[in-house]
Amino acid sequence: MEQSTVTAAGPTPAERFDQLIAAGEKIEPRDWMPEAYRRTMIRQIAQHAHSEVIGQQPEGNWITRAPSLRRKAILVAKVQDEAGHGLYLYSACETLGISRDELNDLLHQGRQKYSSIFNYPTLSWADVGAIGWLVDGAAIANQVALTRTSYGPYARAMVRVCKEESFHQRQGFEIMMTLARGSEAQREMAQDALNRWWWPSLAMLGPPDEQSTHTEQSMQWGIKVETNDEIRQKFVDQTVPQAQFLGLAVPDPALAWNEERGHWDFGEIDWDAFWEVVRGNGPCNRERLAHKVKAWEDGAWVREAALAHAAKQEGRGLAATA
Amino acid sequence: MSTSAALFTYLLRLGDDNLVLGQQLGALLSRMPELESDIAVANVCLDHLGQARNFLTYAAEVEGAGRDEDQLAMLRDERGFRNAVLMEQPNGDFAHTMARQLFVDAYQVPLYEGLSGSVDDRLAGIAEKAAKEARYHLRHSCTWVVRLGGGTEESHRRMQVAIDAMWPFTSDLFAADEVEAALVADGLAVDPVSIRPRFDTAVNGVLAQAGLRLPEDPYQRIGGRQGLHTELLGHLLPELQALYRANPGVEW
Ligand SMILES: [Fe+2]
Ligand SMILES: [Fe+2]
């Protein structure tokens, strides 16, 4: 009898949460979770979802100007995938008790962020290649780690997203390879794109561990499984040989293979520049957000019409059954 | 006109319709009323681009002059394009995009279904796949036209304005000349005039359901099949072609 009383009392919800985390098991929407965990998770998933959605813009900028019909179709499919990633991630976020409309408003009001990387302009066709290769590449490095994150719906969304991101990266690399082996003008275009996208791609993986306000708690909760600096090192190690294969120069004089560490050493990232972009003063912050808000506002009458029509249909359905 | 010359022009007409429409839809990604519509417009865009590539690749082979789909798409000027003028009409608001799409879909469904029975196996194969896509597009555009027509006062008004704006470019879809005549007799092509009744039935049906009407003004603008376009095409092509033309003879 005494034993069953103990069982009935069981662990408190907080204890159970800690046990799940300690055992490396997933937290599911129905599980109790600390309010701070929920808030952190909402912030992170929302930021990721917004990044996918805003991420349609820089590459979408080249759809009408793609240099071949094959490249145009591949690019449309890629931009479509990013919108799809946004959808999965908003759904994952909604399981935490916040609606897509609320998240959308928070983005439009500038109260939630999206990745700093999408605040740089795409100035040539090679930028489409560089984004696929470097930005999707960096995103994969981050997201592969996130497939092991502690919140179940987020981890599962990442598994799905990662598969498509690897396609994107391969396609981006293929664009870069075609350019690097093409005419002099094409090679220059590719090098210029690498020069402009290299450092922002390293910075997009987040501030260095000693500056990162969220890292420690996020690691404890199993939200983050690897630190920003660990992920960044992986990304550099995997990307430098690819640049060498392309015959393009990585724009970092400090880049050198470190035999002892078994990793590439690389130069100091300009974090002041990164924080300027995060604060809203990057080259394209204003355009990106304005584009998003305009699409939303222009579509207001369409969404209202869809709701009104659905309500009328429902009314008719009720009348018919009455 | 020889059969192969007629077939080449016919394939250009089919290809250019889809190329010009696909080009326009591609500009809409990230600008739609919600994320689901961004995804849907990308789907429709991809189908039209795929159809364009199939028709233009085949056109290039029929021509036998060593050109490929990209040379056909990127190196012809306005006067060389053979799309119906409806395709080059601007995206406008969501209602205009949907009105244009409804008319295109209501035309392409019977067209592709007819072409699936072409004696030309290659053309029949392309058309069979395209017919499936067109039927899906038609369901999608009908759904939206009915929703907007029967939604709010504003959506009804906008949808009617859009129908009125796009309608004068629809007869160009059915404007047949000696090209079709040469091919229809041999069972290669579909006579556009023969599919007009199915187009009318589909359009009238959905407009009735949506509480919308066709404009009374009978004016129609034709000429696209002969390369006599509205001025809009001359603005659309430079964007499509500039990069390709600036770098002659390279791979992308
Ligand atoms: Fe993505
Ligand atoms: Fe991606």
Side-chain angles (χ1 to χ4, degrees), chain A residues 171-221:
Chain A
Q171 287 156 356
F173 186 75
E174 202 212 317
I175 290 176
M176 293 303 276
M177 194 152 72
T178 310
L179 296 175
R181 296 186 177 169
S183 67
E184 189 51 32
Q186 286 178 307
R187 217 195 54 77
E188 276 172 24
M189 202 188 270
Q191 181 63 56
D192 175 58
L194 174 56
N195 293 348
R196 283 180 292 109
W197 289 94
W198 175 257
W199 290 107
S201 299
L202 296 195
M204 76 177 260
L205 290 165
D209 298 343
E210 72 269 15
Q211 276 177 35
S212 173
T213 40
H214 307 296
T215 296
E216 203 179 323
Q217 178 67 82
S218 290
M219 298 288 284
Q220 266 171 22
W221 276 336

Short mmCIF file of all heavy atoms in Angstrom, two decimals, chain A residues 171-221:
data_model
loop_
_atom_site.label_atom_id
_atom_site.label_comp_id
_atom_site.label_asym_id
_atom_site.label_seq_id
_atom_site.Cartn_x
_atom_site.Cartn_y
_atom_site.Cartn_z
N GLN A 171 22.89 22.16 -55.08
CA GLN A 171 22.57 22.98 -56.25
C GLN A 171 23.37 24.27 -56.25
O GLN A 171 23.84 24.72 -57.29
CB GLN A 171 21.07 23.29 -56.27
CG GLN A 171 20.23 22.08 -56.64
CD GLN A 171 18.81 22.16 -56.11
OE1 GLN A 171 18.45 23.10 -55.40
NE2 GLN A 171 17.99 21.19 -56.46
N GLY A 172 23.53 24.87 -55.08
CA GLY A 172 24.31 26.11 -54.97
C GLY A 172 25.75 25.86 -55.35
O GLY A 172 26.36 26.63 -56.11
N PHE A 173 26.29 24.75 -54.86
CA PHE A 173 27.68 24.41 -55.18
C PHE A 173 27.84 24.18 -56.67
O PHE A 173 28.82 24.59 -57.29
CB PHE A 173 28.10 23.18 -54.38
CG PHE A 173 29.56 22.85 -54.53
CD1 PHE A 173 30.53 23.62 -53.89
CD2 PHE A 173 29.97 21.79 -55.32
CE1 PHE A 173 31.87 23.33 -54.03
CE2 PHE A 173 31.32 21.50 -55.47
CZ PHE A 173 32.27 22.26 -54.82
N GLU A 174 26.84 23.55 -57.26
CA GLU A 174 26.90 23.29 -58.70
C GLU A 174 26.89 24.59 -59.51
O GLU A 174 27.58 24.71 -60.52
CB GLU A 174 25.70 22.40 -59.08
CG GLU A 174 25.91 21.63 -60.37
CD GLU A 174 24.60 21.43 -61.12
OE1 GLU A 174 23.58 21.11 -60.48
OE2 GLU A 174 24.61 21.61 -62.35
N ILE A 175 26.12 25.57 -59.06
CA ILE A 175 26.14 26.88 -59.73
C ILE A 175 27.55 27.47 -59.63
O ILE A 175 28.12 27.95 -60.62
CB ILE A 175 25.11 27.85 -59.09
CG1 ILE A 175 23.68 27.41 -59.42
CG2 ILE A 175 25.35 29.28 -59.57
CD1 ILE A 175 22.59 28.24 -58.76
N MET A 176 28.12 27.41 -58.42
CA MET A 176 29.46 27.98 -58.22
C MET A 176 30.49 27.26 -59.09
O MET A 176 31.38 27.88 -59.66
CB MET A 176 29.87 27.88 -56.75
CG MET A 176 29.05 28.72 -55.80
SD MET A 176 29.03 30.48 -56.20
CE MET A 176 30.54 31.02 -55.42
N MET A 177 30.35 25.95 -59.21
CA MET A 177 31.31 25.18 -59.99
C MET A 177 31.21 25.55 -61.47
O MET A 177 32.22 25.71 -62.14
CB MET A 177 31.05 23.68 -59.80
CG MET A 177 32.19 22.85 -60.30
SD MET A 177 32.26 21.31 -59.38
CE MET A 177 30.83 20.48 -60.04
N THR A 178 29.97 25.69 -61.95
CA THR A 178 29.79 26.06 -63.35
C THR A 178 30.41 27.43 -63.62
O THR A 178 31.07 27.64 -64.64
CB THR A 178 28.29 26.09 -63.70
OG1 THR A 178 27.71 24.87 -63.26
CG2 THR A 178 28.07 26.25 -65.18
N LEU A 179 30.22 28.36 -62.68
CA LEU A 179 30.78 29.70 -62.86
C LEU A 179 32.30 29.67 -62.75
O LEU A 179 33.01 30.30 -63.55
CB LEU A 179 30.20 30.66 -61.82
CG LEU A 179 28.69 30.90 -61.90
CD1 LEU A 179 28.21 31.77 -60.74
CD2 LEU A 179 28.30 31.55 -63.23
N ALA A 180 32.80 28.92 -61.76
CA ALA A 180 34.25 28.89 -61.53
C ALA A 180 34.98 28.28 -62.73
O ALA A 180 36.13 28.60 -63.00
CB ALA A 180 34.55 28.11 -60.26
N ARG A 181 34.30 27.41 -63.46
CA ARG A 181 34.93 26.78 -64.63
C ARG A 181 34.49 27.45 -65.92
O ARG A 181 34.77 26.93 -67.01
CB ARG A 181 34.55 25.30 -64.67
CG ARG A 181 35.11 24.61 -63.47
CD ARG A 181 34.92 23.14 -63.50
NE ARG A 181 35.56 22.57 -62.32
CZ ARG A 181 35.41 21.33 -61.92
NH1 ARG A 181 34.63 20.51 -62.61
NH2 ARG A 181 36.03 20.89 -60.85
N GLY A 182 33.77 28.56 -65.81
CA GLY A 182 33.25 29.22 -66.99
C GLY A 182 34.18 30.31 -67.51
O GLY A 182 35.40 30.19 -67.40
N SER A 183 33.58 31.36 -68.04
CA SER A 183 34.37 32.46 -68.62
C SER A 183 35.04 33.26 -67.50
O SER A 183 34.73 33.11 -66.32
CB SER A 183 33.45 33.37 -69.42
OG SER A 183 32.57 34.03 -68.53
N GLU A 184 35.95 34.14 -67.90
CA GLU A 184 36.63 35.00 -66.95
C GLU A 184 35.60 35.81 -66.15
O GLU A 184 35.69 35.93 -64.93
CB GLU A 184 37.58 35.93 -67.73
CG GLU A 184 38.54 36.74 -66.88
CD GLU A 184 39.33 35.90 -65.86
OE1 GLU A 184 39.63 34.72 -66.15
OE2 GLU A 184 39.61 36.43 -64.76
N ALA A 185 34.61 36.34 -66.85
CA ALA A 185 33.58 37.16 -66.18
C ALA A 185 32.80 36.32 -65.17
O ALA A 185 32.48 36.78 -64.07
CB ALA A 185 32.63 37.76 -67.21
N GLN A 186 32.53 35.08 -65.53
CA GLN A 186 31.79 34.21 -64.60
C GLN A 186 32.63 33.87 -63.38
O GLN A 186 32.13 33.84 -62.25
CB GLN A 186 31.37 32.91 -65.32
CG GLN A 186 30.21 33.11 -66.28
CD GLN A 186 29.87 31.82 -67.00
OE1 GLN A 186 30.75 31.18 -67.59
NE2 GLN A 186 28.61 31.43 -66.96
N ARG A 187 33.94 33.62 -63.60
CA ARG A 187 34.81 33.29 -62.48
C ARG A 187 34.90 34.48 -61.51
O ARG A 187 34.85 34.32 -60.30
CB ARG A 187 36.20 32.93 -63.00
CG ARG A 187 36.89 31.81 -62.22
CD ARG A 187 38.37 31.74 -62.53
NE ARG A 187 39.00 33.04 -62.30
CZ ARG A 187 39.32 33.52 -61.09
NH1 ARG A 187 39.07 32.81 -60.02
NH2 ARG A 187 39.87 34.71 -60.97
N GLU A 188 35.00 35.68 -62.09
CA GLU A 188 35.06 36.88 -61.24
C GLU A 188 33.78 37.06 -60.45
O GLU A 188 33.79 37.46 -59.29
CB GLU A 188 35.27 38.13 -62.12
CG GLU A 188 36.73 38.36 -62.46
CD GLU A 188 36.90 39.48 -63.49
OE1 GLU A 188 35.99 40.35 -63.59
OE2 GLU A 188 37.92 39.46 -64.20
N MET A 189 32.67 36.76 -61.12
CA MET A 189 31.36 36.86 -60.46
C MET A 189 31.32 35.92 -59.25
O MET A 189 30.86 36.28 -58.16
CB MET A 189 30.31 36.43 -61.50
CG MET A 189 28.91 36.88 -61.30
SD MET A 189 27.80 36.05 -62.52
CE MET A 189 27.84 37.17 -63.88
N ALA A 190 31.83 34.71 -59.44
CA ALA A 190 31.83 33.72 -58.37
C ALA A 190 32.73 34.15 -57.22
O ALA A 190 32.36 34.05 -56.05
CB ALA A 190 32.28 32.35 -58.91
N GLN A 191 33.92 34.65 -57.56
CA GLN A 191 34.85 35.08 -56.51
C GLN A 191 34.26 36.25 -55.72
O GLN A 191 34.34 36.30 -54.49
CB GLN A 191 36.21 35.47 -57.13
CG GLN A 191 37.25 35.89 -56.10
CD GLN A 191 37.62 34.76 -55.14
OE1 GLN A 191 38.03 33.69 -55.56
NE2 GLN A 191 37.44 34.97 -53.83
N ASP A 192 33.67 37.18 -56.45
CA ASP A 192 33.07 38.36 -55.79
C ASP A 192 31.95 37.93 -54.84
O ASP A 192 31.82 38.47 -53.74
CB ASP A 192 32.53 39.31 -56.87
CG ASP A 192 31.80 40.49 -56.26
OD1 ASP A 192 32.43 41.22 -55.46
OD2 ASP A 192 30.60 40.67 -56.54
N ALA A 193 31.17 36.94 -55.26
CA ALA A 193 30.08 36.46 -54.39
C ALA A 193 30.66 35.81 -53.14
O ALA A 193 30.18 36.04 -52.03
CB ALA A 193 29.19 35.48 -55.16
N LEU A 194 31.70 34.99 -53.31
CA LEU A 194 32.34 34.37 -52.14
C LEU A 194 32.89 35.45 -51.21
O LEU A 194 32.72 35.36 -49.99
CB LEU A 194 33.44 33.41 -52.60
CG LEU A 194 34.31 32.78 -51.50
CD1 LEU A 194 33.47 32.04 -50.46
CD2 LEU A 194 35.34 31.81 -52.10
N ASN A 195 33.51 36.46 -51.79
CA ASN A 195 34.08 37.54 -50.96
C ASN A 195 33.00 38.20 -50.11
O ASN A 195 33.22 38.50 -48.94
CB ASN A 195 34.72 38.62 -51.83
CG ASN A 195 35.96 38.10 -52.56
OD1 ASN A 195 36.46 37.03 -52.24
ND2 ASN A 195 36.42 38.85 -53.55
N ARG A 196 31.83 38.41 -50.70
CA ARG A 196 30.78 39.12 -49.97
C ARG A 196 30.01 38.23 -49.00
O ARG A 196 29.50 38.68 -48.00
CB ARG A 196 29.82 39.81 -50.94
CG ARG A 196 30.42 41.09 -51.54
CD ARG A 196 29.48 41.79 -52.52
NE ARG A 196 29.29 41.02 -53.73
CZ ARG A 196 28.17 40.39 -54.07
NH1 ARG A 196 27.11 40.47 -53.29
NH2 ARG A 196 28.09 39.69 -55.19
N TRP A 197 29.89 36.93 -49.30
CA TRP A 197 29.04 36.06 -48.47
C TRP A 197 29.79 35.27 -47.41
O TRP A 197 29.19 34.71 -46.50
CB TRP A 197 28.21 35.12 -49.37
CG TRP A 197 27.16 35.87 -50.12
CD1 TRP A 197 27.25 36.39 -51.37
CD2 TRP A 197 25.85 36.24 -49.63
NE1 TRP A 197 26.10 37.05 -51.71
CE2 TRP A 197 25.22 36.98 -50.66
CE3 TRP A 197 25.16 36.02 -48.44
CZ2 TRP A 197 23.93 37.50 -50.53
CZ3 TRP A 197 23.87 36.53 -48.31
CH2 TRP A 197 23.27 37.27 -49.34
N TRP A 198 31.13 35.21 -47.54
CA TRP A 198 31.89 34.36 -46.61
C TRP A 198 31.71 34.78 -45.15
O TRP A 198 31.25 33.99 -44.32
CB TRP A 198 33.39 34.36 -46.97
CG TRP A 198 34.21 33.60 -45.98
CD1 TRP A 198 35.01 34.14 -45.00
CD2 TRP A 198 34.31 32.18 -45.83
NE1 TRP A 198 35.61 33.14 -44.27
CE2 TRP A 198 35.19 31.92 -44.75
CE3 TRP A 198 33.74 31.10 -46.51
CZ2 TRP A 198 35.50 30.63 -44.33
CZ3 TRP A 198 34.05 29.81 -46.10
CH2 TRP A 198 34.93 29.58 -45.02
N TRP A 199 32.04 36.04 -44.86
CA TRP A 199 32.00 36.46 -43.46
C TRP A 199 30.59 36.49 -42.88
O TRP A 199 30.37 36.00 -41.77
CB TRP A 199 32.72 37.81 -43.28
CG TRP A 199 34.21 37.68 -43.47
CD1 TRP A 199 34.94 38.13 -44.53
CD2 TRP A 199 35.14 37.04 -42.58
NE1 TRP A 199 36.27 37.80 -44.36
CE2 TRP A 199 36.42 37.14 -43.17
CE3 TRP A 199 35.03 36.38 -41.35
CZ2 TRP A 199 37.58 36.62 -42.58
CZ3 TRP A 199 36.17 35.87 -40.75
CH2 TRP A 199 37.43 35.98 -41.36
N PRO A 200 29.62 37.03 -43.63
CA PRO A 200 28.24 36.95 -43.10
C PRO A 200 27.78 35.51 -42.84
O PRO A 200 27.02 35.27 -41.90
CB PRO A 200 27.40 37.60 -44.21
CG PRO A 200 28.35 38.56 -44.87
CD PRO A 200 29.68 37.86 -44.85
N SER A 201 28.28 34.55 -43.65
CA SER A 201 27.87 33.16 -43.42
C SER A 201 28.47 32.61 -42.12
O SER A 201 27.82 31.82 -41.43
CB SER A 201 28.31 32.25 -44.58
OG SER A 201 27.71 32.69 -45.78
N LEU A 202 29.69 33.03 -41.81
CA LEU A 202 30.27 32.60 -40.52
C LEU A 202 29.54 33.27 -39.36
O LEU A 202 29.25 32.64 -38.33
CB LEU A 202 31.76 32.96 -40.44
CG LEU A 202 32.71 32.29 -41.42
CD1 LEU A 202 34.16 32.48 -40.94
CD2 LEU A 202 32.42 30.81 -41.59
N ALA A 203 29.21 34.54 -39.55
CA ALA A 203 28.57 35.30 -38.46
C ALA A 203 27.15 34.82 -38.20
O ALA A 203 26.66 34.85 -37.07
CB ALA A 203 28.58 36.79 -38.79
N MET A 204 26.46 34.35 -39.26
CA MET A 204 25.06 33.96 -39.07
C MET A 204 24.90 32.80 -38.08
O MET A 204 23.81 32.55 -37.57
CB MET A 204 24.38 33.59 -40.41
CG MET A 204 24.77 32.22 -40.96
SD MET A 204 23.89 31.79 -42.48
CE MET A 204 22.62 30.69 -41.85
N LEU A 205 26.00 32.08 -37.81
CA LEU A 205 25.91 30.98 -36.85
C LEU A 205 25.86 31.47 -35.41
O LEU A 205 25.77 30.67 -34.48
CB LEU A 205 27.06 29.99 -37.08
CG LEU A 205 26.89 29.22 -38.40
CD1 LEU A 205 28.17 28.52 -38.81
CD2 LEU A 205 25.74 28.21 -38.30
N GLY A 206 25.87 32.78 -35.25
CA GLY A 206 25.63 33.34 -33.92
C GLY A 206 26.89 33.80 -33.25
O GLY A 206 27.99 33.41 -33.64
N PRO A 207 26.74 34.64 -32.21
CA PRO A 207 27.89 35.24 -31.53
C PRO A 207 28.78 34.18 -30.91
O PRO A 207 28.34 33.05 -30.68
CB PRO A 207 27.25 36.11 -30.44
CG PRO A 207 25.85 35.64 -30.32
CD PRO A 207 25.47 35.06 -31.64
N PRO A 208 30.05 34.52 -30.65
CA PRO A 208 30.96 33.55 -30.04
C PRO A 208 30.44 33.12 -28.68
O PRO A 208 29.70 33.87 -28.03
CB PRO A 208 32.29 34.31 -29.90
CG PRO A 208 31.95 35.75 -30.06
CD PRO A 208 30.70 35.82 -30.86
N ASP A 209 30.82 31.91 -28.27
CA ASP A 209 30.23 31.33 -27.07
C ASP A 209 30.34 32.24 -25.85
O ASP A 209 29.40 32.32 -25.05
CB ASP A 209 30.88 29.98 -26.77
CG ASP A 209 30.64 28.98 -27.91
OD1 ASP A 209 29.71 29.25 -28.72
OD2 ASP A 209 31.34 27.97 -27.99
N GLU A 210 31.48 32.96 -25.72
CA GLU A 210 31.63 33.77 -24.50
C GLU A 210 30.69 34.98 -24.51
O GLU A 210 30.42 35.57 -23.48
CB GLU A 210 33.10 34.19 -24.28
CG GLU A 210 33.64 35.22 -25.22
CD GLU A 210 34.31 34.61 -26.47
OE1 GLU A 210 34.09 33.39 -26.73
OE2 GLU A 210 35.04 35.32 -27.17
N GLN A 211 30.16 35.34 -25.69
CA GLN A 211 29.26 36.50 -25.77
C GLN A 211 27.80 36.08 -25.85
O GLN A 211 26.91 36.92 -25.86
CB GLN A 211 29.53 37.31 -27.04
CG GLN A 211 30.65 38.31 -26.95
CD GLN A 211 30.83 38.96 -28.30
OE1 GLN A 211 29.88 39.20 -29.05
NE2 GLN A 211 32.08 39.26 -28.64
N SER A 212 27.57 34.79 -26.01
CA SER A 212 26.21 34.36 -26.29
C SER A 212 25.42 34.25 -24.99
O SER A 212 25.74 33.46 -24.11
CB SER A 212 26.24 33.00 -27.01
OG SER A 212 24.94 32.52 -27.15
N THR A 213 24.38 35.08 -24.88
CA THR A 213 23.63 35.16 -23.64
C THR A 213 22.82 33.90 -23.35
O THR A 213 22.55 33.58 -22.22
CB THR A 213 22.64 36.35 -23.70
OG1 THR A 213 22.08 36.39 -25.01
CG2 THR A 213 23.33 37.64 -23.38
N HIS A 214 22.43 33.20 -24.42
CA HIS A 214 21.50 32.09 -24.22
C HIS A 214 22.17 30.74 -24.11
O HIS A 214 21.55 29.77 -23.74
CB HIS A 214 20.49 32.04 -25.36
CG HIS A 214 19.79 33.33 -25.59
ND1 HIS A 214 18.96 33.90 -24.64
CD2 HIS A 214 19.81 34.19 -26.64
CE1 HIS A 214 18.50 35.05 -25.12
NE2 HIS A 214 19.00 35.24 -26.31
N THR A 215 23.46 30.69 -24.50
CA THR A 215 24.08 29.38 -24.72
C THR A 215 23.99 28.45 -23.51
O THR A 215 23.54 27.32 -23.63
CB THR A 215 25.54 29.52 -25.17
OG1 THR A 215 25.53 30.18 -26.43
CG2 THR A 215 26.21 28.16 -25.33
N GLU A 216 24.38 28.96 -22.32
CA GLU A 216 24.53 28.06 -21.18
C GLU A 216 23.21 27.38 -20.82
O GLU A 216 23.11 26.17 -20.73
CB GLU A 216 25.10 28.82 -20.00
CG GLU A 216 25.80 27.91 -19.01
CD GLU A 216 26.37 28.70 -17.85
OE1 GLU A 216 26.86 29.82 -18.08
OE2 GLU A 216 26.28 28.20 -16.72
N GLN A 217 22.17 28.22 -20.60
CA GLN A 217 20.87 27.67 -20.23
C GLN A 217 20.34 26.77 -21.35
O GLN A 217 19.77 25.72 -21.08
CB GLN A 217 19.89 28.82 -19.95
CG GLN A 217 18.49 28.35 -19.62
CD GLN A 217 18.41 27.61 -18.30
OE1 GLN A 217 18.33 28.21 -17.23
NE2 GLN A 217 18.44 26.28 -18.35
N SER A 218 20.52 27.19 -22.60
CA SER A 218 20.02 26.39 -23.72
C SER A 218 20.72 25.04 -23.80
O SER A 218 20.11 24.05 -24.19
CB SER A 218 20.21 27.14 -25.05
OG SER A 218 19.33 28.23 -25.11
N MET A 219 21.99 25.01 -23.45
CA MET A 219 22.70 23.72 -23.44
C MET A 219 22.13 22.84 -22.32
O MET A 219 21.90 21.65 -22.51
CB MET A 219 24.21 23.92 -23.22
CG MET A 219 24.95 24.72 -24.28
SD MET A 219 25.19 23.91 -25.88
CE MET A 219 26.50 22.77 -25.56
N GLN A 220 21.89 23.45 -21.14
CA GLN A 220 21.36 22.67 -20.02
C GLN A 220 20.02 22.04 -20.38
O GLN A 220 19.73 20.92 -19.99
CB GLN A 220 21.16 23.58 -18.81
CG GLN A 220 22.35 23.59 -17.87
CD GLN A 220 22.20 24.67 -16.81
OE1 GLN A 220 21.09 25.13 -16.52
NE2 GLN A 220 23.32 25.09 -16.26
N TRP A 221 19.22 22.79 -21.08
CA TRP A 221 17.88 22.29 -21.45
C TRP A 221 17.90 21.40 -22.69
O TRP A 221 16.84 21.01 -23.17
CB TRP A 221 16.95 23.48 -21.67
CG TRP A 221 16.35 24.01 -20.41
CD1 TRP A 221 16.16 23.34 -19.24
CD2 TRP A 221 15.84 25.33 -20.21
NE1 TRP A 221 15.56 24.16 -18.32
CE2 TRP A 221 15.35 25.40 -18.89
CE3 TRP A 221 15.75 26.47 -21.02
CZ2 TRP A 221 14.77 26.55 -18.35
CZ3 TRP A 221 15.17 27.61 -20.49
CH2 TRP A 221 14.69 27.64 -19.15
#
